[in-house]
Every structure is written in structure tokens, then in C-alpha cells.
Amino acid sequence: MEKFPESSSKGTKRRRDEDSDAGNTSSLEDDLTFTDTSVALRIMRAQFPHIQKGSVEPFILKSQLYSSVKDRTQVDRELESLRRDKVLRLFKLNTGQDDHAVMFLDDYLNQDTKWFSVLRMVFLMQCSLLSLGGKTRQLIDPNMYWFSIPNIGSHLKGIVQGRKEIISLLSRRRYKEMMLSSLEKKRLRTSPLDVRFHLRDLIGSGHLRTDQAPTGLIIRVSKD
């Protein structure tokens, strides 16, 4: 299995407060688009924001891949191929829209072993009840089991609130736009995830669009 680089974790909390892009020195403008889904996944994994409280292994939103690889059919096809090859796993997120997270299988297996111990205990209790004639609730398929990403709860809230904060920030500006170089320096109040993470998501989901200007890349709110 191909090995991928570890997430960046440089900078102290104080430095992170001053600059939400600490540890990720390159601008989003330098690596916004890719021709290969695997390359985009590797870069985004490496740039996943380092968060001390409620830590979670790096994950990538499918919308972020859509922002970087223009052919969405290609993204879906390559993700399915990587899933079949047991390189990664896809998770449906409960964030109010059709969001899916992508996590490399190695990272998923590195999650808190205590969580898996609890899951195993629940599974064994369920099997015990069935053997004694007890009833359990079945969801869709009795042979299907639902897994979640441990510690992701606060991040799901951050995804939703971060989206709203960035859209609100741009909507208050006269032309509902801002230079990417300036926007990247903003520190979000409502999300533990950084601006880079949210911009990729919002561009890929169609809420924001990019335009090239002589002075650099401009981020604009998409028209309704």
C-alpha cells in the first residue's frame, strides 16, 4: 500500500492564533488544481489542519476534490477504485447536505483503539441477544454495519459554521469578493479547521468561485 506523508503540525497555539496557515506555508493558489485524484488526496492530507483538542486523523471532503480536479466523474471513478483496493474509506457526513469524507484506511485504523474496543463490545452484546432470541434494530441490511470516524463530532459542527462564517464575511463586502492572499490570512472564530480547508470545500460545492486577476486569485460568492 502506498504510504502518504504525515500531516503538518508545526507552530505553537499562539502562532496559530496569529496565522491560521501556520505549518502550511504555500498558498492555496499554488496548489488549487490537480489532474490526478491521488495527488490531490495526498496534498490535502498533508495540509489537514493540526488540532490538539478532540484530535482526529486527516480526512478530505469529496467537495474539496471537486474543487481541485475539474472532472467530477474522474474523481468519483478514482475514489471508487481506491476504495475497492482498500486504500481509503468513504463516510457519509451528517452536515445538512450531501457531504462525504474520505479517509485513508491506514489513518482510520490508527484511530483510538479504545473506540474500537467499545464497538467490539457492542457487537458482541448484540450477537449475544440474538442467540438468546432477543431483538435488535436492523438498518437497511442485517449484514451491513455502520462505522463512523471517532472524534469527528466537533469537526462536523466546525464544517457547517465555518462555511457560514466565510460566506458571511464575503457577503458583507461591496462586491462579495476578496483576494485569496488576504482571505487565507483570516482566522475563523467558529471553526477549528483553517480557511484553506473551507475554501476548497466551498469552491467544490459551488458556493464560491475563483477568478484570475493581474494581482492574483479572487474569491467571489457565486450568484444565486
Coordinates of all heavy atoms in Angstrom, one line a residue, residues 8-9 11 18 24 28 44 87 101 116 134 146 151 167 207 210 223:
S8 N 1.0 18.1 8.6 CA 1.9 19.1 9.1 C 1.4 19.5 10.5 O 0.2 19.7 10.7 CB 1.9 20.3 8.2 OG 2.6 21.4 8.7
S9 N 2.3 19.7 11.5 CA 1.9 20.1 12.8 C 2.8 21.1 13.4 O 3.0 21.2 14.6 CB 1.9 18.8 13.7 OG 3.2 18.2 13.7
G11 N 4.3 24.9 14.6 CA 3.7 26.1 15.2 C 3.0 25.9 16.5 O 2.4 24.8 16.8
E18 N -2.3 33.7 15.5 CA -1.9 34.8 14.7 C -2.1 34.5 13.2 O -2.3 35.4 12.4 CB -0.5 35.2 15.1 CG -0.3 35.7 16.5 CD 1.1 35.9 16.9 OE1 2.0 35.5 16.1 OE2 1.4 36.5 17.9
N24 N 1.6 25.4 7.1 CA 1.3 25.2 5.7 C 1.7 26.5 4.9 O 0.9 27.4 4.7 CB -0.2 25.0 5.5 CG -0.6 23.7 6.1 OD1 0.0 22.7 5.9 ND2 -1.7 23.7 6.8
L28 N -2.8 28.6 -1.2 CA -3.7 27.7 -1.9 C -3.7 27.9 -3.4 O -3.9 27.0 -4.1 CB -5.1 28.0 -1.3 CG -6.3 27.2 -2.0 CD1 -6.1 25.7 -1.8 CD2 -7.6 27.7 -1.4
M44 N -3.8 17.2 0.2 CA -4.8 17.7 1.1 C -4.6 17.0 2.5 O -4.9 17.6 3.5 CB -6.2 17.5 0.6 CG -6.6 18.4 -0.6 SD -8.2 18.1 -1.2 CE -8.2 19.0 -2.8
V87 N -7.5 1.2 -0.1 CA -6.6 2.3 0.1 C -7.3 3.3 1.0 O -6.7 3.9 1.9 CB -6.1 2.9 -1.2 CG1 -5.2 4.1 -0.9 CG2 -5.3 1.9 -2.0
A101 N -16.9 12.3 3.5 CA -15.5 12.4 3.9 C -14.7 11.2 3.4 O -15.2 10.1 3.3 CB -15.4 12.5 5.4
F116 N -12.6 1.3 19.2 CA -12.8 0.0 18.5 C -13.1 -1.1 19.6 O -13.9 -2.0 19.3 CB -11.6 -0.4 17.7 CG -11.5 0.3 16.4 CD1 -10.7 1.4 16.2 CD2 -12.3 0.0 15.3 CE1 -10.6 2.1 15.0 CE2 -12.3 0.6 14.1 CZ -11.4 1.7 14.0
G134 N -33.4 -12.5 21.5 CA -33.6 -11.1 21.6 C -33.8 -10.4 20.2 O -33.4 -11.0 19.2
W146 N -22.6 0.0 10.3 CA -22.3 1.4 10.1 C -21.1 1.8 11.0 O -21.2 1.6 12.2 CB -23.5 2.3 10.4 CG -24.6 2.1 9.4 CD1 -25.6 1.2 9.4 CD2 -24.8 2.8 8.1 NE1 -26.4 1.3 8.3 CE2 -25.9 2.2 7.5 CE3 -24.1 3.8 7.5 CZ2 -26.4 2.7 6.3 CZ3 -24.5 4.3 6.3 CH2 -25.7 3.7 5.7
N151 N -14.2 10.9 17.1 CA -13.8 12.3 17.5 C -14.2 13.4 16.4 O -13.6 14.5 16.4 CB -12.3 12.4 17.8 CG -11.9 11.5 18.9 OD1 -12.6 11.4 19.9 ND2 -10.7 10.9 18.8
I167 N -18.9 32.7 4.0 CA -19.9 33.3 3.1 C -20.3 34.6 3.7 O -20.5 35.6 2.9 CB -21.1 32.3 3.0 CG1 -20.7 31.0 2.2 CG2 -22.2 33.0 2.3 CD1 -20.3 31.3 0.8
H207 N -20.5 27.1 -3.9 CA -20.9 28.3 -3.2 C -19.9 29.5 -3.5 O -20.3 30.6 -3.4 CB -20.8 28.0 -1.7 CG -21.9 27.1 -1.2 ND1 -21.8 25.7 -1.2 CD2 -23.2 27.3 -0.8 CE1 -22.9 25.2 -0.8 NE2 -23.8 26.1 -0.5
T210 N -13.7 31.2 -8.3 CA -12.4 31.9 -8.4 C -12.3 32.6 -9.8 O -12.8 32.1 -10.8 CB -11.3 30.9 -8.3 OG1 -11.3 29.9 -9.3 CG2 -11.3 30.1 -6.9
K223 N -23.2 33.6 -7.7 CA -24.6 34.1 -7.8 C -25.6 33.1 -7.6 O -25.4 31.9 -8.0 CB -24.7 34.8 -9.2 CG -23.8 36.0 -9.5 CD -24.1 36.6 -10.8 CE -23.2 37.8 -11.1 NZ -23.4 38.4 -12.4

